[in-house]
Amino acid sequence: MSLLVVGSVALDSVETPYGHKEDVLGGSATFFATTASFFTPVRMVAVVGEDFPEAHVDFLKSRRIDLEGLTREPGKTFRWKGRYGFQLNEAQTLDTQLNVFQSFAPRLPASYQETPYVFLGNIHPELQGQVLDQVKRPRLVAADTMNFWIQGSREALLKTLSRVDLLFVNDAEARALAGEHNIVKAAQAIFRMGPSRVVIKRGEYGALLFDGEQLFALPAFPLDQVFDPTGAGDTFAGGFMGTLATSPTLTHDTLRQAMVMGSVMASFTVEKFSLERLREVTLPEIQDRFAEFKKLTHFEHIRPVAS
Amino acid sequence: MSLLVVGSVALDSVETPYGHKEDVLGGSATFFATTASFFTPVRMVAVVGEDFPEAHVDFLKSRRIDLEGLTREPGKTFRWKGRYGFQLNEAQTLDTQLNVFQSFAPRLPASYQETPYVFLGNIHPELQGQVLDQVKRPRLVAADTMNFWIQGSREALLKTLSRVDLLFVNDAEARALAGEHNIVKAAQAIFRMGPSRVVIKRGEYGALLFDGEQLFALPAFPLDQVFDPTGAGDTFAGGFMGTLATSPTLTHDTLRQAMVMGSVMASFTVEKFSLERLREVTLPEIQDRFAEFKKLTHFEHIRPVAS
């Protein structure tokens, strides 16, 4: 089934201990859509400027991403510049130029309005709400957010969250949103805001899924080379939602598989700059890494010896 | 088979956001031995002072821990005082009084010399080496260490490590020891120092096992109440080594089960102060939590849909 994403399409400049790149393809919608397109048809709502290279548009089209909702506006494309140290978990933002993104008002083409799976990328919660106003009876609405909105636009965020089924956040965001340090209690507090499922992203430490009373924990794949973590979170969400969108039923087991597939895809993204690794990764590689996750985490039952 | 532990027996004073306790039973050997005693006979080498309460000795005896190697010396027992904030991962040490521990020179009773499993708790690497001088043909030697020795006694530590089969360290210690930020490469660097197995302890994020080319990752059990993390690492090692000591063969699968049992036991320790939870926990509770770890981490294979 199709999957709608609204978010940013950007030109990123990134410095890591392993090199730097200028004005490469980035943005939450880009990473999400490219990843999800391995699994399901994707519809994108986003905006770019006059300077956005046509080659990037061609790449997205080649991934069978529906770009009817991608508008080109006068001005420049959204730009983000960041740096990572050896501690690759968190980026230091050096510069943000919103450009055409500043006046972004997501408008859905008529053909998008009945999309069953919706992912609201990390944009202003009011804009996320405007997207929900335009979709009809979605099967599942997922959203991402960040501390900037949690602290600066709490009212609007809570309004949007009341319409969201599944929230993706990291540890710090979950704690800030819930006002609760313990992560189990934080997830329970977020349930009371609307979402019935919460995914906690923990970077190199993996991810947690709170699905009502059920709990799933997955470590990240230990890589001997992490090149550029940019886009890992959106890649995770893309693999997760892409997996859900292709599953006949939405069971708890499917959500677990979606967690693994999200982690599989994110583990590829960080191996190279920008979308370089996602551009070249093959389905057999994806299947192999899924199997490696199984090997990584599997253990046999044991019977403790009586004392 | 029996299991030898050398380490500290202490009186701890601990402050957490949930309360504080003065002069309660603590120390690496205490947490380790109490935990391992659920699975196998344990022999302890440690020292206490004249002020060490007889009730604590009686408790250790009641856990069928062999105390022939526990000496009582003139002076006071080792004392540690620490504080945890809401970020319970790391303690702030407020005071350390070595007392009788200052002149500790581990001497093994004759009856201990043929112990097949040896755990060298976090003490000076030269003392760890002295223990190894006194054991005959152990089947497996495991050790713990910390940044204090990695930075201050590197030579002695490297000498001891060349005689160690399995090392327990946390992320930061592994990185400091190896001089390498990437944790996979750090483990490979530690292999070259002697140990053929490295366990990376990550607190609330779980643990990693590097066993030659094989890799196992386990998340920690998400608890809605973490009361006092003191002793979690030694409890983990106690559950791990206790499991190995009762296994007929030392296979990679056994090491994975040992990782889970270490995590199971540590998840109990942090639920209350000191050894309070370990004193009362029952074998059925341990078995139940092992099964919960299975539920927490299990997922089914998937076949990705062709793009």
Side-chain angles (χ1 to χ4, degrees):
Chain A
M1 277 186 275
S2 353
L3 172 53
L4 172 71
V5 54
V6 56
S8 60
V9 172
L11 296 174
D12 288 346
S13 296
V14 182
E15 287 175 47
T16 83
Y18 310 105
H20 68 279
K21 291 276 174 181
E22 292 282 321
D23 287 343
V24 291
L25 182 58
S28 61
T30 315
F31 281 102
F32 181 94
T34 303
T35 307
S37 72
F38 279 93
F39 309 100
T40 201
V42 181
R43 296 165 173 171
M44 183 191 281
V45 178
V47 62
V48 294
E50 293 157 318
D51 59 346
F52 191 70
E54 198 57 31
H56 292 339
V57 176
D58 291 342
F59 163 68
L60 295 171
K61 277 185 193 160
S62 78
R63 298 291 320 165
R64 73 166 179 186
I65 298 166
D66 186 337
L67 298 180
E68 200 187 331
L70 178 71
T71 56
R72 195 185 277 272
E73 300 291 341
K76 284 181 137 191
T77 301
F78 173 45
R79 274 172 169 75
W80 177 79
K81 190 171 185 171
R83 180 192 289 152
Y84 299 86
F86 279 101
Q87 181 63 45
L88 289 158
N89 260 352
E90 207 161 341
Q92 179 193 356
T93 291
L94 301 174
D95 190 27
T96 303
Q97 293 172 25
L98 290 176
N99 297 330
V100 296
F101 204 66
Q102 190 141 29
S103 52
F104 179 49
R107 207 137 28 138
L108 270 60
S111 64
Y112 282 21
Q113 288 168 5
E114 297 201 23
T115 315
Y117 288 85
V118 177
F119 177 69
L120 307 169
N122 174 21
I123 57 176
H124 194 297
E126 273 177 19
L127 299 186
Q128 292 179 322
Q130 285 171 24
V131 172
L132 294 183
D133 293 341
Q134 298 171 66
V135 290
K136 292 179 187 160
R137 298 173 304 282
R139 195 167 168 191
L140 186 115
V141 174
D144 189 9
T145 192
M146 71 192 292
N147 267 336
F148 186 73
W149 313 120
I150 292 169
Q151 276 145 23
S153 308
R154 190 173 175 86
E155 288 281 296
L157 179 60
L158 290 176
K159 213 168 151 188
T160 296
L161 281 183
S162 70
R163 307 165 74 187
V164 163
D165 302 304
L166 190 154
L167 181 66
F168 294 95
V169 274
N170 67 31
D171 280 90
E173 290 158 358
R175 286 169 175 149
L177 179 58
E180 164 63 53
H181 191 84
N182 180 280
I183 205 71
V184 178
K185 289 182 181 161
Q188 288 161 351
I190 294 170
F191 284 162
R192 292 190 290 273
M193 298 172 189
S196 57
R197 283 136 180 174
V198 178
V199 173
I200 310 283
K201 299 176 292 179
R202 301 179 133 176
E204 66 167 314
Y205 299 119
L208 290 176
L209 165 70
F210 292 90
D211 177 22
E213 291 293 299
Q214 304 215 62
L215 190 48
F216 177 60
L218 184 72
F221 196 79
L223 296 165
D224 61 8
Q225 176 101 289
V226 176
F227 221 77
D228 174 13
T230 309
D234 294 302
T235 302
F236 178 92
F240 186 104
M241 293 294 288
T243 301
L244 290 194
T246 52
S247 301
T249 54
L250 193 61
T251 65
H252 177 68
D253 278 346
T254 311
L255 290 167
R256 288 180 177 233
Q257 292 172 323
M259 289 279 288
V260 181
M261 193 55 86
S263 303
V264 164
M265 298 309 290
S267 77
F268 286 118
T269 286
V270 303
E271 286 181 342
K272 293 197 173 179
F273 273 110
S274 179
L275 284 90
E276 286 173 21
R277 189 72 177 95
L278 282 183
R279 282 175 190 262
E280 67 184 20
V281 70
T282 63
L283 280 173
E285 284 181 304
I286 292 170
Q287 284 169 303
D288 282 354
R289 190 154 292 174
F290 195 102
E292 283 185 61
F293 260 94
K294 191 78 192 162
K295 270 197 268 179
L296 177 71
T297 59
H298 180 78
F299 60 89
E300 299 292 334
H301 270 296
I302 197 174
R303 187 188 309 185
V305 176
S307 178
Chain B
M1 277 186 274
S2 2
L3 172 55
L4 171 71
V5 54
V6 56
S8 60
V9 173
L11 297 173
D12 288 345
S13 296
V14 182
E15 287 175 48
T16 83
Y18 310 104
H20 68 279
K21 291 277 175 181
E22 291 281 321
D23 287 342
V24 291
L25 183 58
S28 60
T30 316
F31 281 103
F32 180 94
T34 304
T35 307
S37 72
F38 280 92
F39 310 100
T40 201
V42 182
R43 297 165 173 171
M44 183 191 279
V45 178
V47 60
V48 295
E50 294 157 319
D51 59 346
F52 191 70
E54 198 58 31
H56 292 339
V57 176
D58 291 343
F59 163 68
L60 295 171
K61 277 185 191 156
S62 77
R63 298 291 321 166
R64 74 166 177 185
I65 298 165
D66 185 338
L67 299 180
E68 200 186 331
L70 178 71
T71 57
R72 195 186 276 273
E73 301 291 340
K76 286 181 138 190
T77 302
F78 174 45
R79 274 171 168 74
W80 176 78
K81 190 171 186 170
R83 181 192 288 153
Y84 299 87
F86 279 101
Q87 180 63 46
L88 288 158
N89 262 353
E90 206 159 343
Q92 179 192 359
T93 292
L94 300 174
D95 191 27
T96 304
Q97 294 172 24
L98 289 176
N99 298 329
V100 296
F101 203 65
Q102 189 141 30
S103 51
F104 178 49
R107 208 138 27 139
L108 271 58
S111 64
Y112 282 20
Q113 288 167 3
E114 298 200 25
T115 316
Y117 288 86
V118 177
F119 177 70
L120 307 170
N122 175 20
I123 58 174
H124 194 296
E126 273 176 20
L127 299 186
Q128 292 179 323
Q130 285 171 24
V131 172
L132 295 185
D133 293 340
Q134 299 171 65
V135 289
K136 293 179 188 159
R137 296 174 305 281
R139 196 168 166 191
L140 186 114
V141 175
D144 189 11
T145 192
M146 71 191 292
N147 268 336
F148 186 73
W149 311 122
I150 292 169
Q151 277 144 22
S153 308
R154 190 172 175 87
E155 287 281 297
L157 179 59
L158 290 177
K159 211 168 151 186
T160 296
L161 281 184
S162 70
R163 307 166 72 187
V164 162
D165 302 304
L166 189 154
L167 181 66
F168 293 97
V169 274
N170 67 30
D171 280 90
E173 289 157 358
R175 285 168 175 150
L177 179 57
E180 164 63 52
H181 191 84
N182 180 280
I183 205 71
V184 178
K185 289 182 182 162
Q188 288 160 352
I190 294 170
F191 284 163
R192 293 190 288 273
M193 298 172 189
S196 57
R197 282 134 181 175
V198 178
V199 173
I200 310 282
K201 300 176 291 180
R202 302 180 133 176
E204 66 167 315
Y205 300 118
L208 290 176
L209 164 70
F210 291 90
D211 177 21
E213 291 293 300
Q214 304 214 62
L215 190 47
F216 176 60
L218 185 72
F221 196 77
L223 295 164
D224 60 8
Q225 175 102 290
V226 177
F227 220 77
D228 174 12
T230 308
D234 295 302
T235 303
F236 179 92
F240 186 104
M241 293 294 289
T243 301
L244 290 194
T246 52
S247 300
T249 52
L250 192 61
T251 64
H252 176 70
D253 279 347
T254 311
L255 290 167
R256 287 179 177 234
Q257 292 171 324
M259 290 279 288
V260 181
M261 193 56 86
S263 303
V264 163
M265 299 308 290
S267 77
F268 287 118
T269 286
V270 303
E271 285 180 344
K272 292 197 174 180
F273 274 110
S274 178
L275 284 91
E276 286 173 21
R277 190 70 179 94
L278 283 182
R279 281 174 191 263
E280 67 185 21
V281 71
T282 63
L283 279 174
E285 283 181 303
I286 292 170
Q287 284 169 303
D288 283 355
R289 190 154 294 175
F290 195 101
E292 284 185 60
F293 259 94
K294 191 78 191 162
K295 269 197 268 178
L296 177 71
T297 58
H298 180 77
F299 60 89
E300 299 293 333
H301 271 297
I302 196 174
R303 187 187 309 184
V305 175
S307 178

